[in-house]
Structure formats: structure tokens, C-alpha cells
């Protein structure tokens, strides 16, 4: 019940998730799906101890992607980015846990796979910035905006995590 109220509050006011309830938006991009990396990426987030609260496969519309990447609309790579991101299905996810926004950016690596150390997703599976396999929100505020953009309320699930006592003291 508390989870449901918090979910509604967070979606409407784009705030409300902190501590172990912090949430982020992660998406396996079309190249990641084509290259069969969906399972590997989910595996890393699961094993880390984060909780999956939303998951779907969809082909994103150009309108959705333009809204998602609106901050980059003036960049020279913008139209190529929209074409790439709409070229095939993506796996959109919401993951929850303590410091999940900051930690998932570390798990992804740098924007350019060339600058991403081995052990990160982009460092292990990407070569070029234009095909960097995975998206992750860059701040709590953008996470909230992106979750509200990609997911309806009834697609975000509240479930009791039986391992939470082994993850949080
Ligand atoms: N991108 C690109 N060329 C660039 C910079 C970014 O194609 O020079 C793409 C890349 O797919 C990146 C996305 O635009 O993931 C969004 O860029 P941002 O700076 O937000 O990087 P991110 O947050 O994904 O690391
Ligand atoms: Mg970004």
C-alpha cells in the first residue's frame, strides 16, 4: 500500500523515491537486443542486489525518443540517435535500490565505450559511442522524469523482496 502511494506520488510530482526505494530507468538499446545482451544486462543488475519493478519490450516511437533525449536536441548526432534508438525493439526497465542511479551509471561505464573500463557493460560489450548498448538515467531527477515517460503506473510493480534483509542492515 505504501509502495503504491509512493509510486503514484513519484509519478505525479516526479519526486518521492529515496534510500533503498530509489529508482532508475535502464534500457537495453536496439543493438543490445540484437546482440542478445538482454539476459547479461539483467543478470548484472539482479546479482548486484537491485529489485526489478518494471520491464517491457517495445519499439519506441520517434516522438517518445525525442522527448526522452530532449536535452540533446541541438547536438549534431541527435537525428542519428533517434534513428538508432527507433530502429528496433528496446527493453525498458525500472530498477530499485540504494544509490541505484549513481551505481548503475558506474555499472554502465562512460558514454563512449572507448573510455569505459573492462568490467562495465559498455566497456565489455561496446566499441563505438553511437552503439553503446544500454541507457541509464544520469540523476534522480532524470530517472523520475524518464520513468514517468516510459511507464504507466500499472506497469510498475510493488512486490515484497524476500532478500531485502540480506541486502540492507
Ligand atoms: N551519443 C552519440 N554521440 C555522442 C554522444 C552521445 O551518439 O557524441 C549518443 C549515445 O548513444 C549516448 C546518447 O547519445 O548514450 C545520449 O548521450 P548522453 O550524453 O546522455 O550519454 P549517456 O547518458 O547515455 O551516457
Ligand atoms: Mg544521458
Amino acid at each position: 500500500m505504501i509502495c503504491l502511494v509512493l509510486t503514484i506520488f513519484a509519478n505525479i510530482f516526479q519526486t518521492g523515491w529515496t534510500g533503498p526505494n530509489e529508482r532508475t530507468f535502464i534500457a537495453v538499446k536496439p543493438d543490445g537486443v540484437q546482440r542478445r545482451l538482454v539476459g547479461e544486462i539483467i543478470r548484472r543488475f539482479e546479482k548486484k542486489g537491485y529489485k526489478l519493478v518494471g520491464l517491457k519490450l517495445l519499439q519506441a516511437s520517434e516522438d517518445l525518443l525525442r522527448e526522452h533525449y530532449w536535452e540533446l536536441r541541438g547536438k549534431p548526432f541527435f537525428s542519428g540517435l533517434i534513428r538508432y534508438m527507433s530502429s528496433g525493439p528496446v527493453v525498458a526497465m525500472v530498477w530499485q535500490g540504494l544509490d541505484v542511479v549513481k551505481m548503475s551509471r558506474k555499472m554502465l561505464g562512460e558514454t563512449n565505450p572507448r573510455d569505459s573500463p573492462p568490467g562495465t557493460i559498455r566497456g565489455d560489450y561496446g566499441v563505438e559511442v553511437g552503439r553503446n548498448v544500454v541507457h541509464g538515467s544520469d540523476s534522480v531527477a532524470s530517472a523520475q522524469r524518464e520513468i514517468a515517460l516510459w511507464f504507466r503506473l500499472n506497469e510498475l510493480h510493488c512486490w515484497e523482496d524476500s532478500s531485502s534483509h540480506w541486502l540492507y542492515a
Side-chain angles (χ1 to χ4, degrees), residues 26-42 55-60 84-85 87-93 125 131-135:
I26 301 292
V28 184
K29 296 181 175 185
D31 50 332
V33 174
Q34 291 287 348
R35 294 181 52 213
R36 312 295 194 267
L37 293 171
V38 174
E40 171 61 23
I41 291 166
I42 291 176
L55 173 79
K56 60 184 175 184
L57 177 79
L58 76 158
Q59 185 137 4
Y84 154 51
M85 287 295 293
S87 65
V90 300
V91 174
M93 297 179 272
Y125 303 115
R131 297 290 183 271
N132 62 0
V133 180
V134 66
H135 166 83

Side-chain angles (χ1 to χ4, degrees), residues 4 6 9 18 28 46 48 58 62 74 78 89 101-102 113 158:
L4 183 65
L6 270 177
F9 191 83
T18 52
V28 184
E46 270 195 317
K48 169 73 181 164
L58 76 158
E62 294 196 2
F78 185 73
V101 171
K102 201 162 114 199
C158 293

Side-chain angles (χ1 to χ4, degrees), residues 57-94:
L57 177 79
L58 76 158
Q59 185 137 4
S61 69
E62 294 196 2
D63 281 351
L64 171 65
L65 292 163
R66 268 193 283 269
E67 173 96 25
H68 174 78
Y69 282 126
W70 72 275
E71 281 173 325
L72 302 173
R73 63 196 177 285
K75 302 280 182 193
F77 56 84
F78 185 73
S79 58
L81 173 62
I82 302 300
R83 229 175 306 124
Y84 154 51
M85 287 295 293
S86 59
S87 65
V90 300
V91 174
M93 297 179 272
V94 178

